[in-house]
Amino acid sequence: MTSSTSPRGMAGAAVAMAGVGSLTAVSAVLADYPVFGGQAVRYTVAAAILFLVARFVGPRRRVRPTARDWLLLTALAATGLAAFNVFIVAATADTSPATIGTVIATVPVALALVGPLLERRRPAPRVVAAALVVTAGAALANGLGGGTLRGLLLALGALAGEVCFSLLAVPLLPRLGPVRVSAYSAALAVPMLLAVGLVVDGRGLLRAPTGAEFAALFYLSVIITVGAFLLWYDALGRLGADRAGLFAGLIPVSAVATTVVLGLASPTPADLAGAALVAAGVVVGVRPPKRRTRRPAPSHGPATRQGRGTPLPAAHASASGG
């Protein structure tokens, strides 16, 4: 059952998206490493850790995915993991990282609109408005950038993959749980990435990493794929896709913060203004709606005639829920 006020869900979503935002600086270390081979290594290590965790965490009874589960898991791995990485890599050749980041920053709006519809409920106007504020703040912090039409379309493909990463997991989480959904999707993404890597890089698909590259791959595998995946999927189950999606606006804000911490750049006024907008949107979006208090209806009939404190007849009491 989702709850818009789950402190654990909100903390998990914030930490997960902040971790994803740190990928900007970490990815720079892997600039010369084969992209698809590196992603395949990342998901292989993460899947092994996650399956080990699944043996000790969660229900003791082993839960086997159904045919429908396998279909959703395969679609999740193909879109939210493998295709997302393919689109990101291809887009960088035709457009700027700022444009890609700005397009992906619209994830909160997409989840605020599509998430409730998949759950057969209307999107909450307040959450949609908050998502628009978060997206504006993320775009401001990230910069609008520029590029070609092809690059923009590829960035939109990455956006679709990011949305699928959350929405396809929602029906899987109640039965399989965050650990198994993360483990199965990571494992299924490995052969997909290897296949693309063989086409793109051929024999140069894999090579021994340098010390810095090894540290970056370790960070991607353990901190991001294991840690952030688990936190994000746990938050989805607690907050719902629409409210959890608001925290995706933290990705570009975290990217800016990471570069500042590492001494690679200094924050600009636009960065600070964007961060403030993201924070405001998240606060508004996750705040529970005000409940209307109903005034007690005036007593009529036998209860009024008998006066206060006199018991109601049995038939009247049962009709009023007593």
Side-chain angles (χ1 to χ4, degrees):
M1 180 180 294
T2 61
S3 171
S4 62
T5 58
S6 168
R8 175 174 169 178
M10 290 188 287
V15 173
M17 291 299 99
V20 173
S22 68
L23 290 179
T24 303
V26 176
S27 297
V29 180
L30 296 170
D32 297 326
Y33 196 85
V35 175
F36 301 108
Q39 294 296 325
V41 170
R42 163 193 177 182
Y43 289 125
T44 299
V45 174
I49 296 173
L50 287 164
F51 279 121
L52 183 63
V53 172
R55 295 187 60 181
F56 302 99
V57 177
R60 294 181 180 180
R61 179 177 61 86
R62 186 176 180 182
V63 180
R64 295 181 179 275
T66 63
R68 176 177 176 272
D69 293 339
W70 281 118
L71 182 62
L72 288 172
L73 286 166
T74 302
L76 171 59
T79 57
L81 279 67
F84 175 80
N85 285 285
V86 171
F87 281 125
I88 287 290
V89 172
T92 55
D94 290 270
T95 191
S96 67
T99 298
I100 300 172
T102 300
V103 171
I104 295 177
T106 61
V107 165
V109 176
L111 293 181
L113 291 172
V114 181
L117 294 177
L118 294 180
E119 297 175 2
R120 297 181 180 180
R121 58 185 175 89
R122 293 181 179 180
R126 182 170 51 82
V127 177
V128 174
L132 290 171
V133 173
V134 168
T135 298
L140 183 60
N142 203 74
L144 297 179
T148 65
L149 176 60
R150 179 176 179 271
L152 177 61
L153 293 175
L154 289 169
L156 289 172
L159 168 64
E162 184 69 14
V163 171
C164 289
F165 176 73
S166 296
L167 295 184
L168 290 174
V170 170
L172 293 166
L173 291 171
R175 215 177 80 82
L176 299 180
V179 178
R180 286 180 172 82
V181 171
S182 301
Y184 284 122
S185 60
L188 289 169
V190 173
M192 301 177 189
L193 289 164
L194 288 175
V196 176
L198 284 172
V199 174
V200 176
D201 298 319
R203 294 183 179 180
L205 173 63
L206 293 171
R207 65 168 174 79
T210 64
E213 290 170 342
F214 178 84
L217 287 170
F218 178 85
Y219 180 84
L220 289 177
S221 302
V222 180
I223 305 301
I224 301 302
T225 310
V226 175
F229 274 34
L230 292 181
L231 289 172
W232 179 247
Y233 283 151
D234 180 69
L236 278 179
R238 295 176 183 276
L239 301 177
D242 51 351
R243 288 181 171 83
L246 295 173
F247 290 89
L250 294 175
I251 293 176
V253 176
S254 173
V256 172
T258 303
T259 57
V260 171
V261 171
L262 296 178
L264 302 177
S266 299
T268 66
D271 296 333
L272 299 176
L277 276 177
V278 169
V282 170
V283 170
V284 171
V286 299
R287 188 178 60 188
K290 295 181 180 180
R291 296 181 179 180
R292 296 180 180 178
T293 55
R294 296 182 179 180
R295 296 181 180 179
S299 301
H300 298 287
T304 303
R305 292 193 301 269
Q306 292 175 16
R308 184 175 299 177
T310 305
L312 293 172
H316 189 83
S318 61
S320 61

